[in-house]
Amino acid sequence: MQRLHLHLLSDSTGETLEMIAKAALAQFDGADVVRHFWPMVRSMQHLDRIMGEIAANPGLVLYTLVNPETRERLEKRCVTLGLPSVAALDAVTDALEQQLGVQAKGRPGRQHIMDEAYFARVDAIQFTIAHDDGVNWENWEEADIVLAGVSRCSKTPTSIYLANRGYKVANIPIVVESPPPSMLFSLGRPLVVGLTTSPERLIAVRRNRLLSLNQAPETAYVDNDHVNREVQYARRMFADNGWPVIDVSRRSIEETAAAVINLYNERAAAGGNSDGVKPI
């Protein structure tokens, strides 16, 4: 597979364009791609400087530019250089215009406007950080979601990812020798989700963690019998309380979070205590 230079041009932060490119590239195993990232392209002078770099490293050009003059200049220069260019959001924007019966505003960075949803996400992130690893359990009833699981089950990264999607999340480690606060078993508003994994994977993750901290790699923390008891104890707790369970053994953080969101929305649709779909 030949090397490809992929140029990503955006008149805003470029976060959306990066996600689109990442999702598309995931469909190609072993692709040799060199990504060139050009955010905040809002002037002809800036674009002209970038075109010099594109000419020196020809490849595919993906862009999200709303200014018609800037777009036209880019497209013409790409034609002159014989390079393909793709407006990553045009098809979706055109479809929305047709269905909504109104024209798009054409303003860069509108998805980053500090509206009510933005401040809700900030609030969710602050809440989640303040309620990591069982801290401030007295406020769990204010959470949207509570994640429970043994140590190294991806509770914290999953919580932070969900917080960036607008969910207030608390998480609690399940430890055989230290039962969780009784409040966990009487929560009404939050959706409690159990995260579990295979003992073998858990031991491998924990051993790597110990090695990264230069600690002894052979302790009860990674003992096969002890870890099996931990996992079984947590699973029994999940089952006894009727909590939905997600096995994270072969899931990425994003996949685990997506599964949690599905459970949250299903609960809301069924008339549970969830407030409904949260903003992305």
Side-chain angles (χ1 to χ4, degrees):
M1 190 177 297
Q2 66 181 17
R3 171 169 289 186
L4 169 68
H5 287 276
L6 179 61
H7 296 274
L8 307 174
L9 283 77
S10 172
D11 48 20
S12 186
T13 63
E15 179 183 352
T16 301
L17 188 57
E18 279 197 301
M19 289 192 293
I20 293 172
K22 182 179 179 181
L25 287 171
Q27 304 301 317
F28 300 91
D29 293 332
D32 185 6
V33 178
V34 180
R35 274 181 273 192
H36 305 267
F37 183 46
W38 313 102
M40 307 304 291
V41 183
R42 295 185 178 179
S43 71
M44 294 297 186
Q45 293 80 4
H46 190 185
L47 177 61
D48 289 340
R49 291 196 299 271
I50 292 170
M51 291 309 303
E53 296 292 332
I54 294 176
N57 298 283
L60 175 62
V61 177
L62 300 183
Y63 64 92
T64 51
L65 303 174
V66 297
N67 182 276
E69 290 80 13
T70 308
R71 285 169 58 104
E72 184 179 5
R73 173 77 68 90
L74 172 64
E75 292 164 356
K76 285 183 177 179
R77 292 292 299 275
C78 286
V79 170
T80 301
L81 294 170
L83 301 178
S85 62
V86 178
L89 293 178
D90 274 17
V92 177
T93 303
D94 290 346
L96 287 171
E97 285 182 339
Q98 293 178 17
Q99 294 299 313
L100 296 173
V102 295
Q103 190 172 3
K105 292 292 186 182
R107 298 178 192 167
R110 281 185 62 83
Q111 71 272 37
H112 301 297
I113 290 176
M114 291 188 291
D115 56 8
E116 183 179 349
Y118 173 87
F119 289 107
R121 283 194 292 272
V122 171
D123 189 34
I125 292 170
Q126 291 176 337
F127 180 93
T128 300
I129 292 174
H131 294 81
D132 182 42
D133 206 32
V135 177
N136 292 325
W137 56 266
E138 301 89 345
N139 303 321
W140 279 352
E141 194 64 43
E142 300 174 21
D144 298 312
I145 298 164
V146 175
L147 301 180
V150 299
S151 174
R152 313 314 298 177
C153 267
S154 305
K155 297 184 300 297
T156 295
T158 303
S159 296
I160 296 299
Y161 185 92
L162 288 166
N164 276 280
R165 298 289 298 271
Y167 298 87
K168 292 183 177 180
V169 185
N171 72 76
I172 174 70
I174 303 301
V175 181
V176 176
E177 297 80 8
S178 179
S182 58
M183 173 180 281
L184 179 63
F185 308 107
S186 60
L187 293 173
R189 181 179 185 276
L191 169 69
V192 182
V193 178
L195 301 184
T196 188
T197 186
S198 67
E200 297 77 17
R201 179 184 179 278
L202 193 56
I203 290 172
V205 171
R206 288 182 174 184
R207 183 167 282 119
N208 287 335
R209 174 63 173 170
L210 291 175
L211 290 172
S212 70
L213 297 174
N214 293 319
Q215 296 183 6
E218 299 301 331
T219 67
Y221 190 58
V222 293
D223 177 75
N224 187 67
D225 290 339
H226 186 273
V227 172
N228 271 283
R229 283 198 300 273
E230 278 189 85
V231 173
Q232 290 303 318
Y233 174 76
R235 288 177 175 170
R236 185 164 55 250
M237 181 183 297
F238 302 157
D240 289 346
N241 288 277
W243 298 332
V245 179
I246 298 173
D247 190 330
V248 303
S249 299
R250 298 182 181 276
R251 294 178 189 261
S252 65
I253 299 302
E254 295 85 352
E255 290 171 331
T256 300
V260 172
I261 292 172
N262 282 337
L263 290 169
Y264 184 91
N265 288 338
E266 287 173 2
R267 182 183 189 228
N273 290 319
S274 303
D275 296 331
V277 180
K278 291 284 179 174
I280 295 176

